[in-house]
Amino acid sequence: MNQHTESPDVPGSRSFDAAVMPTVAMIGGGQLARMTHQAAIALGQRLRVLAERPDDPAAQVTPDIVLGSHTDLAALRKAAVGSHALTFDHEHVPTEHLRALVAEGVSVQPPPEALIFAQDKLAMRTRLRELGVPVPDFTSVESARDAVAFGDEHGWPCVVKAVRGGYDGRGVWMPGSAAEAERIVNDQLAHGVELLAEQRVDLKRELSAMVARSPFGQAAAWPVVETVQREGQCAVVIAPAPELPERAAAAASALALRLAAELGTTGAMAVELFETHTGELLVNELAMRPHNSGHWSMDGAVTGQFEQHLRAVLDYPLGGTAALAPVTVMANILGAPEAPAMSMDERLHHLFARMPEARVHLYGKGERPNRKIGHINILGDEVAVVREKAERAARWMSHAEWTDGWDPHGE
């Protein structure tokens, strides 16, 4: 699916200097910034990265690095100097700092008024409810009594979430009883963590509708994908979502495009969805940046999410989002319980010898249990075949073992 609003050849009132290509400042030095840097190179742009450490994934590859914390306004100002847009590898920058940058004339994309709905889950849930968007029932948790009352009303287990900062299963608890909820809530509140409680959804699967939007208002949607979660982490993404009725896919994309416009976000945005057994779609989370559920697009779509994010925050016309193959499966390379004795380079050698069609993206991160250290994209025609290949390849890269028992040194 490829949806665009109409726009002129040159959106907005940008002026162009043929001798100077734009600089984008990205806050955060993780793998998302690293892959955005790759896209910037192809477009002749410069990506400046605010990284905490010189060995952060993006700091390893981009020459324009500012070392500092995303919570330090002085470091943010240093990263923003001379940039055409300032954007994010993660959403954890204090809102008051971003408002200060905007007041000083920095083009913050997405703006803090939109980013708050990706930073604060309670604000997001409340705003979506105001917009009439289906979300799980929820309540703010000021004390253990609030969580217990909610669980008693909606059934156990329920879900308790940190309002800010949680990801990949962190900051999420599923107490199965009032006593367990009371213990969790009291502990988290004692550590200053703001909480909400929400209904546990009896879901069929999780979906993601990714879109991009420019400050001018042009928007585009990629095909809706299925995301497979393991232990709270995204493990596999299947594009497009198999057996999703066309009407439901169109509704999910339309909802994501509507939210991008209503919330005023710019750049890439992922709308994570629950699909229930009755076919209802509920919004679970928002991410206003490139997202794990969009990694498939690097090899499987006309325009990948990282290039599109740059186009969007700089107010360029957006690229096409159509899929390049009937099926693309992305499998995350997640660190094994113990790093294999075989080096990553040797594992890559064996993978390419056996699967020359595999598209590998490594993040320059050390191996530790369940850490996202890379991902693999496989394109093809049949979901089951492509998914098995992608998962087999990812397992090999993380564990140095073939799930089908193949011996690289045998006959």
Side-chain angles (χ1 to χ4, degrees):
M1 175 178 288
N2 187 359
Q3 300 188 32
H4 294 264
T5 60
E6 291 191 7
S7 65
D9 290 339
V10 180
S13 57
R14 282 173 49 93
S15 60
F16 291 86
D17 183 341
V20 180
M21 293 299 287
T23 294
V24 174
M26 184 164 254
I27 307 307
Q31 63 260 27
L32 300 182
R34 182 185 178 106
M35 290 181 278
T36 305
H37 171 68
Q38 294 172 233
I41 292 171
L43 298 177
Q45 299 167 1
R46 189 177 189 94
L47 188 79
R48 179 179 304 137
V49 172
L50 176 64
E52 294 193 354
R53 295 170 294 275
D55 63 345
D56 282 349
Q60 297 173 24
V61 297
T62 181
D64 196 350
I65 308 165
V66 174
L67 291 177
S69 170
H70 61 274
T71 62
D72 181 353
L73 181 55
L76 293 168
R77 284 181 170 133
K78 186 175 180 181
V81 170
S83 67
H84 295 70
L86 181 142
T87 190
F88 309 96
D89 168 277
H90 60 75
E91 294 102 340
H92 307 313
V93 182
T95 307
E96 61 272 20
H97 290 356
L98 297 179
R99 288 182 175 142
L101 294 176
V102 171
E104 293 164 9
V106 177
S107 175
V108 176
Q109 306 294 340
E113 294 75 20
L115 192 65
I116 187 67
F117 299 113
Q119 295 174 321
D120 186 312
K121 294 179 178 64
L122 185 58
M124 180 267 290
R125 286 272 185 266
T126 302
R127 182 62 180 137
L128 295 191
R129 178 178 279 176
E130 292 171 353
L131 293 172
V133 174
V135 295
D137 284 339
F138 68 94
T139 190
S140 175
V141 172
E142 305 292 336
S143 69
R145 290 190 302 274
D146 296 330
V148 170
F150 185 87
D152 286 343
E153 179 182 355
H154 292 84
W156 301 98
C158 70
V159 181
V160 174
K161 287 184 177 180
V163 168
R164 288 176 173 263
Y167 67 98
D168 281 347
R170 301 180 184 95
V172 179
W173 303 267
M174 290 192 183
S177 66
E180 189 179 358
E182 189 170 345
R183 177 183 59 77
I184 291 168
V185 170
N186 285 335
D187 177 63
Q188 294 302 312
L189 291 179
H191 288 86
V193 179
E194 294 180 76
L195 298 171
L196 64 84
E198 65 181 37
Q199 186 175 17
R200 185 174 183 269
V201 177
D202 182 19
L203 57 91
K204 177 182 177 182
R205 59 179 170 175
E206 295 190 44
L207 305 172
S208 177
M210 279 212 68
V211 298
R213 182 176 178 271
S214 69
F216 182 76
Q218 187 187 14
W222 285 274
V224 177
V225 303
E226 178 179 348
T227 62
V228 179
Q229 313 292 320
R230 293 183 186 137
E231 298 182 5
Q233 271 189 309
C234 178
V236 176
V237 173
I238 307 168
E243 299 180 5
L244 181 66
E246 186 175 338
R247 186 173 179 177
S253 290
L255 173 61
L257 289 165
R258 175 193 163 203
L259 288 178
E262 293 268 14
L263 301 179
T265 193
T266 49
M269 181 178 79
V271 179
E272 298 180 60
L273 300 160
F274 292 144
E275 181 187 12
T276 70
H277 293 282
T278 60
E280 185 181 11
L281 298 179
L282 305 175
V283 175
N284 177 34
E285 301 278 0
L286 300 178
M288 296 182 182
R289 52 172 170 76
H291 189 255
N292 200 172
S293 67
H295 289 353
W296 71 274
S297 66
M298 297 174 72
D299 303 302
V302 173
T303 309
Q305 66 166 341
F306 298 100
E307 177 183 333
Q308 193 82 300
H309 185 72
L310 289 169
R311 289 195 191 205
V313 301
L314 290 168
D315 224 353
Y316 280 37
L318 300 183
T321 50
L324 296 176
V327 180
T328 301
V329 174
M330 187 280 313
N332 278 324
I333 302 171
L334 302 173
E338 292 185 17
M342 184 185 294
S343 71
M344 182 67 76
D345 182 56
E346 187 175 356
R347 281 174 259 165
L348 187 63
H349 180 101
H350 285 298
L351 176 68
F352 283 156
R354 192 177 187 198
M355 290 188 187
E357 72 275 25
R359 305 301 301 271
V360 181
H361 302 270
L362 297 175
Y363 304 155
K365 295 164 76 172
E367 297 180 68
R368 63 172 185 247
N370 295 319
R371 190 184 200 190
K372 292 178 184 174
I373 54 179
H375 70 270
I376 292 174
N377 288 330
I378 301 281
L379 283 65
D381 297 317
E382 297 180 27
V383 171
V385 173
V386 178
R387 179 175 177 177
E388 188 280 327
K389 280 186 178 181
E391 293 203 62
R392 175 160 37 108
R395 177 80 179 188
W396 167 254
M397 290 301 294
S398 61
H399 289 68
E401 61 185 31
W402 292 107
T403 54
D404 60 356
W406 187 73
D407 179 3
H409 300 293
E411 293 183 6

